[in-house]
Amino acid sequence: MVAPIVITILAYLHVTSAISWMGASLFFLVVLGPGLRGLSPPASLEFMAKVGGKAVRYFMGSATATIVFGLVLLYVVIDGDFSSLGTAGFGTTISIGFTIGFIAYLDAALLTGRKFTKANKLAIELMKNPPQGPPTELIQLMKEGGQGALIGTVLLFIAAVFMVTAGFPF
Ligand code: HEM
């Protein structure tokens, strides 16, 4: 049995990372994405070139921390007894929650993160060699990244509902 203080610290780390990930996703969808669409092409190109890479690193860092601390927390909460995940109540609720959380992580790593990383590299290139017409490839990458961000945010909310229900069953 792990000391309660260790469980508390892990819970803080897990919940803080989850808030950082989910909060930034929502901020991106509601404020940053629509705001970017209102900028002039050179301004959004510069933003994507200078901020895009940092944003992807932030998202992947907070997402990875959520999953890693979540898994360690799970291990100590169930005391290493994985058979308890199959039982009704806490077991099934937390299992559904972390499965959806994993899918949100895959969405962040394989879809959203990848598209915005490509958009960031392309924007850096286009800053050096400005395009003649509208940067259609960049616009397409941003659109696909935005769709990934929307899917990820919805999944995060559903995962959070299951996580909180596991802690506070009604
Ligand atoms: C692999 C993925 C994840 C694992 C293994 C995991 C595991 C856990 C565990 C074991 C708890 C403690 C539950 C309890 O003892 O009551 C917890 C709580 C929590 N998790 Fe996760 N989690 C994961 C993903 C996520 C994600 C993606 C979010 C954000 C959307 C999230 C948000 C939370 C929140 C807010 C709590 C606190 C719930 C409460 O105290 O009522 N978790 N998680």
Side-chain angles (χ1 to χ4, degrees):
M1 181 65 193
V2 175
I5 181 73
V6 176
I7 299 180
T8 305
I9 292 169
L10 283 170
Y12 269 111
L13 291 170
H14 174 58
V15 174
T16 308
S17 326
I19 293 169
S20 310
W21 181 13
M22 208 164 90
S25 298
L26 198 59
F27 182 76
F28 175 81
L29 276 187
V30 178
V31 182
L32 218 53
L36 261 176
R37 281 194 283 277
L39 294 180
S40 66
S44 58
L45 194 65
E46 187 173 6
F47 182 89
M48 206 48 219
K50 293 188 178 161
V51 185
K54 287 190 184 77
V56 171
R57 284 193 291 280
Y58 169 90
F59 273 101
M60 288 320 298
S62 57
T64 305
T66 305
I67 301 294
V68 170
F69 291 128
L71 286 174
V72 181
L73 178 63
L74 180 66
Y75 186 80
V76 297
V77 165
I78 63 176
D79 214 7
D81 175 16
F82 289 99
S83 64
S84 66
L85 293 179
T87 58
F90 178 82
T92 39
T93 312
I94 201 84
S95 299
I96 295 170
F98 72 66
T99 303
I100 297 171
F102 268 132
I103 300 172
Y105 185 76
L106 291 179
D107 170 76
L110 303 178
L111 180 59
T112 318
R114 206 172 263 186
K115 295 290 174 189
F116 281 121
T117 302
K118 274 191 188 165
N120 169 244
K121 289 193 177 134
L122 184 59
I124 293 169
E125 270 311 304
L126 293 175
M127 289 279 287
K128 288 181 204 149
N129 308 298
Q132 298 305 315
T136 44
E137 194 187 346
L138 183 68
I139 293 168
Q140 183 62 20
L141 285 169
M142 301 278 286
K143 194 174 156 201
E144 288 167 3
Q147 286 163 351
L150 175 64
I151 295 168
T153 310
V154 172
L155 289 173
L156 282 178
F157 268 96
I158 301 171
V161 169
F162 279 93
M163 290 285 150
V164 175
T165 308
F168 298 91
F170 45 81

